[in-house]
Every structure is written in C-alpha cells, then in structure tokens.
Amino acid sequence: MKKNIPIGQLLINSGYINQKQLDRALEVQRKMPDKKLGDILIDLDYVSEENMLKALSERLNSPLVDLKNYPISREATDLISESYARKNNVIPIDFEDNLLLVALNNPLNLYIIDEMKVLTGFEIKTMLSSNDDIKYAIDKYYSDSAVKSAVENINRTFINEYSESELSALGDRIEGTPTVAAVNTIIYQAVLKDASDIHIEPTKNNINVRIRINGDLINYSTMNIAAHNSVVSRLKILAGVNIAEKRLPQDGGFHFELGNVKADIRMSTLPTVHGEKIVLRLLSAGNKLPYTIRQIGLSEKNLEKIIKMSKIPNGIILTTGPTGSGKTTTLYAILGELIKSSVNIITVEDPVERIIDGINQVQINNKAGLTFANSLRSILRQDPDIIMIGEIRDAETAEIGVRASITGHLVLGSIHTNDSVSTIARLIDMGIEPYMVAASLSGIISQRLVKKLCPHCKEKYNLSESQRIFVGGAAETFYRPVGCNKCDYTGYLSRTGIYEVIEVDSTLREMISKKVGIHEIRNYAIKKGLKPLKDTIVEMALKGETSLEEVEKIIYSVE
C-alpha cells in the first residue's frame, strides 16, 4: 500500500511541502508531461532532493545509501548493461540474502523494478540515492568499458603520426579528435577511481597507461604507439608547455573538469629512448582544504598534541617522512585550524599543490632565482604570523626557518628523515647549533601512509615462527589480502596515515642543548608517551586493519 502513495502526498505527509506547492507543481507537470513530479518540485525549490529521499526512505522502508563510499560489487553491476543503467538512472550495488540491492532515485517506479527482476533473475531490494551519486557510481563502476571504448577508437582511427612541424601548428585544432576523447576518458575515470597519478609510458610498440591507487601502480590500458605524439601533444597543450620540445623535461599543469568530476593536474614530461613519458599527478580541485586535522587518521592523543603545539604563537613544527607519505596534507590540515582573518599566513612551496583561500602562497622558481631561502627572506618582510615551508632542503633554508621561529613566528615545515627523533640529528647535521634547535622546536610529526585491508575479503592465517619474532611475538595470527570485486581484486580498499608525535618540553630542550644522544632522547620521548610508528602498525595488523606486508614496509623504513 505504501508503494501506491503518490510522491506528492508522501511529501505533504512528511511536512516537506504544502498542498498549494503540490498543486503548482502538478500544474507545471500538465504542461511538461514527460518530466517527473519529483524533479519539478526540486526545480521549483519547494523541496530538496535530500528531503525527498528522506521522505521516501521513511515511508517505503528503503534505506539511503552513500554510493561515493559504498564498496559496490562488480558482480552486481555486471548484471545490467551500462546503457540500461544510464537510461534509467539505476545501478545494482550488492547482494543480500539472495536479493539484488539496487540503488535508484525513484522507488515508486514499479515498472523499472519489475523489469530489473526479469533482466537479472533476482528479486530486487531498493536502496535510495541521489541522481548525482547514481551517475557518479555508474561512471566509476562502468569505467573500464568507457576507457576500453575510447582506446579502441583512438587505435582504430589514429594511425598516422604528426610531424614535428604539424604538431607545432596543431594547437587547439586537436579538439574533437579521438585523442581528446581518450585523454579525457582516462583522466576522468582515474579521478573516479581515486588514483593519485597517471603514468603514460611509451614502449617500442605500445603506450602503456598505468595508474597509482593506494600507493601501487596498476596496469590500466594500452594504446597503439602511433598515437603517442598526438596524446603527448594534447597533454602539453592543456599544460601550457612547448609541444615541439622533446629533448628536455618539462613541467606544467592544468585544471580538468568534465561533468561533476574536477581535478587540478600537475604534469611532468621525461624524454626516454622510446619517446616522452608523461606523469600526471591528480590533485583534488577547488580552494578548500582536502582534509581537516581530525580526518587524517590521528589518534586522540596525537591530535591533542598537535592542536596544543599549533596554538603556540612561535616555534617550529616539522613533519617528516619519505616522499608520498602525506606530509603536505598534514601541514595543510594544521593550517586549516589556524586560518583567521586576523592572521597573516604565507607559504613557500615547490610546487603549490592546491590554492587555499585565506593563505598567501608562493611558488618556488629556481630558474628565476626564487629559491626557498630567497623567498623566506622576503616573506619575513611581509609581516607574517605563520609561515609554512613546503620542504627544508638545505642548511640556509633550515637556518632562516629556525631563526624566524625564535623571533616570534609560528613556522611549519617538512623535512626528510626516517622518524621523529632523527629529525633533531638532521637539523644539527645541517649546521644548526643544538641550542638553536632546542630553542625553536615545538614538535615533530613523523608519518607514513598505510594500505587498509578490504574487510570483505581479508583472510586470517597463522604466522610462522620467524614472522612472529619479527613483529615482536605480539600474535600468532594476522590477516592478509585476498581480493574481491569490491576492492578491484587488490585486497585493499583505502589508505590511512600513521603518526608518531614528539611534543618538545623543557627536559627535551635541555637534552638537545647538551647534545645528548638520539637513543637517549628516544627513550625519554617514549617514557613521555611517544608511540613509535612500528608499534602503531603492528597494532593495526593485530586488529585486522592491515597486512604483514605493510608492517614490514614500516619497520624496515624506520630501522
């Protein structure tokens, strides 16, 4: 009976619209009979799509589902074609007790539900989601076929290579070619898959396209080598670099926008024996911070330490770890806590990974003589309250940053060391006097990114004796990746940060000033509550959140 209640009456019963608004919407629908009443109510701004879905969910006992975070089963999506999914704005997402879970926007369309029963051979359980989320899911989970189609098209239609002179004159006329479709599709689908990088690598006979997901490169597609010049030229045009220059590396960037997908992209070219290799770094678009300090995986204890350190108006806070460990993301997250109209924040970065409202950002240009050190000298004349140094690479930059922190500025920066305690030795090795290090340091954050096991397919197993000894004899069993259709058969679903945070107190300052050994400093920090990275990763493995492989990576990287 509930399913026979008109959607307008449902919304009235739920208090989201009144009768007058419904009558007005029905009047519009009589003039536009092909348009759904729900869409008309949303267009007239009488009800939001969110409230409409809430009303339907409550009345029809169909749960709401967030498709952007739901691990959709590929076995489910394979039951209907992409064209059918797009035409009807529906997508199968999973199985439950021999029922097929289907996400749709209008569960009152009984015709579609009955048709899907016939098409799939399953009884249907409806789940509700927004139109945009359903389209996003269709784009993401039918992505392989989209890329395959685009690549087949470029292989079929693009046979002849352009000459260098033709490439120089090509310019925007490349728009509308199969090359554009292939490039757009690959980038679009890579963003949907949450890839961090796209590698376009020429070989003798093919172009191999690989994407990096959860820190690992995976083979994604292969194109005919004949299309190489065209693909490279298209990307160079987008990035604003010289399309005729093939002998030297080039760097550029561009903003990508297609449908609801947006990304800021940093491009790097590298001449190889088979032609130019392209790497595209995919960054989330917009001028908002990607994560807050509470979203990056910090424990409550470490979160409290960092917030406390960031409230001190002077001193230096350093993040440390290898390339790709999320140091810049952590720095941005800390800055997000500090942005105020009354505070002057200036950053010096190479490169500026994202433009953030409320922050003055400087892009390093070594060719023009704009180095970290030169920039910092100028920044100190700009009346800053907070300075962020993207990376402390040399003694001069380190010294200016340390002096700025001592003279009343809060300085945030990143540096390459294995762990938090080693950062102290690194600064001293760079020529900073121990008493200066002691006076300036407020805290050190060492971090790594760790892959999380897919909860749907992880498998428990017994550790060998040598493995037990390696992890400190903490357990006899761990979990390992298996692979299923919900994790693209990788065994992992996402990554998270792990951290060790040192808060520098008066005792630690005295130890640094007296040149006490790193081993003693570490022992003191542990007594004061420092939780080493290796302890954190082993604890995650014991909980079944990550694998022995990830444990080994962390332990080997810090010892």
Side-chain angles (χ1 to χ4, degrees), residues 2 5 16 139 198 203 216 288 297 301 356 375 395 408 417 434 436 520 539 547:
K2 287 182 179 179
I5 300 174
Y16 291 123
D139 287 343
I198 303 172
T203 64
D216 293 332
K288 293 183 179 180
K301 189 172 182 179
I356 307 296
S375 299
T417 61
M436 293 282 284
E520 290 181 55
E539 186 177 290
S547 65

Side-chain angles (χ1 to χ4, degrees), residues 182-248:
V183 167
N184 285 351
T185 303
I186 288 170
I187 295 174
Y188 182 84
Q189 302 301 344
V191 174
L192 288 178
K193 285 178 174 288
D194 296 321
S196 60
D197 302 87
I198 303 172
H199 290 238
I200 299 172
E201 304 166 330
T203 64
K204 185 177 180 181
N205 300 312
N206 296 302
I207 307 169
N208 292 331
V209 180
R210 299 193 289 170
I211 59 177
R212 190 179 295 279
I213 298 178
N214 292 333
D216 293 332
L217 277 173
I218 61 172
N219 294 323
Y220 193 49
S221 184
T222 301
M223 287 184 278
N224 192 308
I225 192 62
H228 180 253
N229 277 351
S230 182
V231 170
V232 170
S233 296
R234 171 59 181 166
L235 290 168
K236 285 184 174 181
I237 290 168
L238 289 172
V241 302
N242 185 354
I243 63 173
E245 178 57 74
K246 297 181 179 182
R247 300 166 298 174
L248 298 173

Side-chain angles (χ1 to χ4, degrees), residues 291-308:
Y291 299 100
T292 69
I293 194 68
R294 291 164 181 80
Q295 294 175 319
I296 60 174
L298 289 163
S299 67
E300 283 299 320
K301 189 172 182 179
N302 283 338
L303 177 62
E304 289 175 10
K305 285 182 182 180
I306 292 174
I307 290 176
K308 180 181 176 182

Side-chain angles (χ1 to χ4, degrees), residues 430-475:
M430 293 176 84
I432 309 300
E433 291 294 333
Y435 76 90
M436 293 282 284
V437 175
S440 62
L441 266 183
S442 294
I444 307 166
I445 306 162
S446 179
Q447 63 184 86
R448 299 290 191 278
L449 286 178
V450 175
K451 291 188 290 186
K452 296 182 72 176
L453 286 168
C454 172
H456 305 284
C457 64
K458 65 182 181 182
E459 177 181 83
K460 198 170 187 178
Y461 72 103
N462 293 324
L463 295 175
S464 67
E465 186 62 27
S466 61
Q467 289 170 334
R468 287 187 64 240
I469 294 171
F470 179 76
V471 299

Side-chain angles (χ1 to χ4, degrees), residues 162-183:
Y162 289 105
S163 68
E164 192 164 312
S165 59
E166 287 173 326
L167 285 171
S168 299
L170 193 59
D172 292 336
R173 284 180 292 161
I174 201 168
E175 289 286 353
T177 67
T179 302
V180 173
V183 167

Side-chain angles (χ1 to χ4, degrees), residues 311 335-345 357-358 385-386:
K311 288 182 178 179
L335 286 180
E337 295 287 311
L338 303 172
I339 296 174
K340 297 177 184 175
S341 60
S342 59
V343 175
N344 179 21
I345 302 175
D357 279 348
D385 296 295
I386 300 168

Side-chain angles (χ1 to χ4, degrees), residues 70-80 91-103 116 120-125 127 456 485-486 489:
Y70 190 94
I72 292 176
S73 165
R74 292 197 177 277
E75 291 178 0
T77 59
D78 287 346
L79 291 173
I80 68 168
I91 183 169
I93 60 174
D94 212 344
F95 300 93
E96 181 183 284
D97 299 328
N98 295 320
L99 298 176
L100 179 64
L101 305 185
V102 175
M116 291 196 68
T120 65
F122 286 88
E123 290 294 318
I124 304 298
K125 179 178 179 180
M127 311 278 281
H456 305 284
N485 52 48
K486 292 186 178 181
Y489 299 95

Side-chain angles (χ1 to χ4, degrees), residues 368-521:
L370 186 63
T371 64
F372 275 105
N374 290 342
S375 299
L376 282 171
R377 291 193 187 93
S378 298
I379 286 171
L380 290 172
R381 295 192 287 271
Q382 289 284 317
D383 187 30
D385 296 295
I386 300 168
I387 301 169
M388 187 190 101
I389 306 170
E391 185 178 344
I392 297 175
R393 299 175 178 173
D394 53 59
E396 189 177 11
T397 303
E399 184 176 358
I400 297 171
V402 165
R403 290 188 180 279
S405 69
I406 292 174
T407 55
H409 306 88
L410 175 59
V411 178
L412 309 178
S414 73
I415 191 168
H416 285 288
T417 61
N418 284 341
D419 57 25
S420 54
V421 178
S422 299
T423 303
I424 298 168
R426 174 68 175 143
L427 289 171
I428 294 172
D429 288 344
M430 293 176 84
I432 309 300
E433 291 294 333
Y435 76 90
M436 293 282 284
V437 175
S440 62
L441 266 183
S442 294
I444 307 166
I445 306 162
S446 179
Q447 63 184 86
R448 299 290 191 278
L449 286 178
V450 175
K451 291 188 290 186
K452 296 182 72 176
L453 286 168
C454 172
H456 305 284
C457 64
K458 65 182 181 182
E459 177 181 83
K460 198 170 187 178
Y461 72 103
N462 293 324
L463 295 175
S464 67
E465 186 62 27
S466 61
Q467 289 170 334
R468 287 187 64 240
I469 294 171
F470 179 76
V471 299
E476 294 184 358
T477 59
F478 265 17
Y479 287 83
R480 59 188 169 199
V482 176
C484 66
N485 52 48
K486 292 186 178 181
C487 61
D488 273 338
Y489 299 95
T490 63
Y492 298 95
L493 263 185
S494 62
R495 290 194 294 176
T496 188
I498 61 169
Y499 306 84
E500 60 178 38
V501 180
I502 289 181
E503 185 180 4
V504 181
D505 60 14
S506 57
T507 301
L508 196 51
R509 294 186 198 284
E510 186 177 353
M511 293 175 76
I512 296 170
S513 295
K514 292 181 177 179
K515 303 181 182 180
V516 170
I518 292 300
H519 183 69
E520 290 181 55
I521 290 176

